[in-house]
Amino acid sequence: MSDSVTKNKGVRPRVVIAGGGFSGLWAAKTLANQPVDVVLVDRNNYHTFLPLLYQVAAAELEPEDIAYPIRSILRKYTNVRFVLADIKKIDLDKRILLSTDYAISYDYLILATGSATQFFGTPGAAEYSFQLKSLEQGITLRNHILRCFEYASRKIDDAKRQQLLTFTIVGGGPTGVEFAGALAELIHGPLKKDYPSIDFDYVKVILIEAANSVLLSFPKMLRDYALDRLYRMKVNVMLETLVDKVTPLTVHLKDKDILPTQTVVWTAGICADPIAETWGLSATRNGLLMVLPTLEVEGRQEIYVIGDLSSMEDNRRQLPMTAPVAVQQGVQAAKNILGKINGKPASPFVYKDRGAMVTIGRNTAVAQIGKKSFTGFFAWVLWLIVHLINLIGFRNRLMVLINWSMDYLLFERAIRLILPLRKPPKPRSKT
């Protein structure tokens, strides 16, 4: 470790926030211009609007349309600064956050490092599946999908072509449903025009769900509507189906068939960032860190855990790992810290459920607002408005609106680019 250890030399308490996602960012905003010094730490220098990441993979949006520099967000707050670092360890007794070559002392610590993909111990899933948890993963998946069509347009045998053109999505939650719909529209719209030599009877979009319905957290009417729309979009939905194994060229279904495919997108589950298990704090089986109702860690009242990392129940049910929960927890944790500094007791976190919505495709979405349910065009417009409003940055909102308008009016997606990455993925081959 270098000697660049920062110490809190001021008289004001220092609050260190680990993670620049929704929860960490909103905690920083709440602490802005307050009598504390705030340090926000993240491995990336940008905030990613994860609800639209699947549209990067489906060639609908550019990566920079859903990302915004963290320093640009924070620069108007004089008491908040940003540190680019990948957190490795926490010295709980000395109250120091440690990275590979950096250390930051804290008076209060907010842990908001987010989540990772959960594979439920499925053999081969981690090695051979695509994920949708970062910008790089979104670009990698988009590159792969477009390459599949490039290779399929060549003179190859039918079995190889079927492998290339079978796209399997594991998990029928919001991300799986939204990506399945977006991918189906990409394939049967722009790509069908781009590749006239391909027989699109070979193309299959398969959505695999272990339960008896998609979107289990939604009312039955909305689940049935979403399922019907997916069928209409030529998505093959396989319910009550478990994935037993994933290989580079196949997906093995428990007690069922073996699907030939080179594309498996895993959206079946999420868990806490695995690094959290090394911090010495009490955790659940999923790696979530256990917290008090006030979002504090028991026995470590200077540490707060929020967002996808925290184990917080509502009516004996784990709160969903969604942006609204993360934002509200970020605000509450910050308020509790300010209250503690002023000698006030901490308030318990109470989640205010403002509803949920999922888009399935053009003019099609489902929305649950309070006790009211909406489907079709109205729900779709509502989804567009909510996501545009919550995007950070005027440029991002404008570019997303332009891309959405172009897609809607011209049935065109201009982001069909295979971009080089730092380490291009090796072609998958049989071993």
Side-chain angles (χ1 to χ4, degrees):
M1 181 182 297
S2 72
D3 58 358
S4 57
V5 178
T6 61
K7 296 182 179 180
N8 187 13
K9 298 179 180 179
V11 295
R12 301 197 304 185
R14 170 180 284 174
V15 182
V16 175
I17 304 171
F22 287 104
S23 55
L25 193 58
W26 259 259
K29 286 184 174 183
T30 306
L31 292 168
N33 302 321
Q34 298 296 324
V36 292
D37 292 321
V38 181
V39 181
L40 178 62
V41 185
D42 197 279
R43 64 171 63 94
N44 299 310
N45 73 333
Y46 54 85
H47 167 80
T48 304
F49 192 76
L50 289 177
L52 292 181
L53 180 59
Y54 78 93
Q55 293 196 359
V56 173
E60 194 164 354
L61 295 176
E62 291 277 16
E64 59 266 29
D65 293 345
I66 65 167
Y68 202 83
I70 292 177
R71 288 187 179 275
S72 295
I73 300 171
L74 301 179
R75 62 188 176 192
K76 60 183 176 181
Y77 307 129
T78 57
N79 69 319
V80 183
R81 69 186 186 93
F82 173 72
V83 172
L84 182 69
D86 195 359
I87 300 160
K88 298 298 183 183
K89 185 180 177 182
I90 302 173
D91 190 324
L92 299 174
D93 294 328
K94 294 182 180 179
R95 298 192 180 187
I96 296 177
L97 199 68
L98 301 163
S99 69
T100 303
D101 56 358
Y102 209 79
I104 307 170
S105 64
Y106 63 85
D107 296 301
Y108 297 94
L109 176 63
I110 299 178
L111 297 175
T113 53
S115 58
T117 304
Q118 186 175 31
F119 296 101
F120 304 102
T122 305
E127 293 82 1
Y128 305 118
S129 296
F130 291 91
Q131 304 174 46
L132 279 173
K133 296 296 294 179
S134 70
L135 280 182
E136 190 169 40
Q137 289 173 352
I139 298 170
T140 299
L141 180 53
R142 182 181 74 187
N143 286 350
H144 172 79
I145 291 169
L146 296 175
R147 282 197 181 101
C148 284
F149 280 89
E150 290 293 337
Y151 298 150
S153 67
R154 302 173 183 176
K155 292 182 179 180
I156 56 176
D157 62 75
D158 291 346
K160 184 66 174 177
R161 182 174 289 107
Q162 187 64 77
Q163 276 184 339
L164 286 166
L165 298 179
T166 298
F167 303 93
T168 307
I169 302 160
V170 182
T175 301
V177 168
E178 290 186 326
F179 182 64
L183 180 58
E185 287 190 337
L186 171 67
I187 289 171
H188 298 293
L191 295 188
K192 195 168 186 178
K193 301 174 187 176
D194 286 349
Y195 300 95
S197 63
I198 293 179
D199 182 355
F200 272 70
D201 288 339
Y202 281 94
V203 180
K204 294 180 181 178
V205 178
I206 301 173
L207 179 62
I208 299 173
E209 169 56 42
N212 61 359
S213 177
V214 297
L215 302 178
L216 277 182
S217 61
F218 285 74
K220 186 178 185 305
M221 183 190 78
L222 300 186
R223 299 200 305 264
D224 292 344
Y225 176 86
L227 192 59
D228 177 68
R229 297 306 302 182
L230 288 170
Y231 284 138
R232 289 174 181 239
M233 299 172 73
K234 301 180 180 179
V235 177
N236 181 8
V237 183
M238 304 179 69
L239 300 175
E240 298 182 317
T241 302
L242 294 173
V243 174
D244 209 31
K245 181 181 178 182
V246 180
T247 75
L249 300 175
T250 59
V251 169
H252 295 240
L253 305 179
K254 188 174 183 179
D255 301 326
K256 294 187 180 180
D257 300 332
I258 297 176
L259 301 177
T261 177
Q262 293 192 27
T263 308
V264 180
V265 184
W266 197 277
T267 66
I270 55 178
C271 60
D273 188 334
I275 189 67
E277 296 181 357
T278 68
W279 293 340
L281 300 173
S282 298
T284 66
R285 288 184 301 173
N286 292 337
L288 302 177
L289 299 184
M290 300 176 68
V291 295
L292 300 172
T294 55
L295 301 174
E296 300 164 301
V297 174
E298 187 172 7
R300 297 279 180 180
Q301 271 71 37
E302 76 279 4
I303 300 178
Y304 293 75
V305 184
I306 57 177
D308 293 352
L309 194 61
S310 68
S311 175
M312 172 67 67
E313 294 185 351
D314 181 26
N315 295 324
R316 298 184 179 180
R317 181 176 66 91
Q318 173 67 33
L319 285 174
M321 293 180 173
T322 60
V325 174
V327 167
Q328 292 179 39
Q329 288 188 337
V331 172
Q332 185 63 52
K335 288 182 176 179
N336 279 348
I337 289 174
L338 293 174
K340 186 174 292 186
I341 292 172
N342 293 321
K344 298 178 181 178
S347 300
F349 173 72
V350 179
Y351 175 51
K352 297 177 182 177
D353 190 352
R354 296 186 173 91
M357 54 189 68
V358 172
T359 183
I360 307 159
R362 172 184 297 268
N363 298 333
T364 306
V366 295
Q368 178 74 18
I369 310 297
K371 295 182 178 180
K372 295 184 179 180
S373 298
F374 305 95
T375 61
F377 182 75
F378 178 78
W380 180 71
V381 172
L382 191 62
W383 182 93
L384 294 177
I385 293 173
V386 168
H387 284 72
L388 272 179
I389 290 174
N390 284 286
L391 268 171
I392 296 176
F394 174 77
R395 177 203 170 275
N396 286 25
R397 296 189 190 104
L398 178 61
M399 295 307 298
V400 168
L401 182 59
I402 290 173
N403 280 312
W404 281 351
S405 300
M406 183 177 179
D407 182 22
Y408 186 76
L409 297 174
L410 304 178
F411 293 85
E412 186 62 82
R413 294 189 185 180
I415 327 284
R416 301 192 300 280
L417 309 175
I418 300 175
L419 298 177
L421 298 174
R422 291 192 297 271
K423 293 181 180 179
K426 296 180 180 179
R428 298 185 174 195
S429 59
K430 188 178 292 185
T431 58

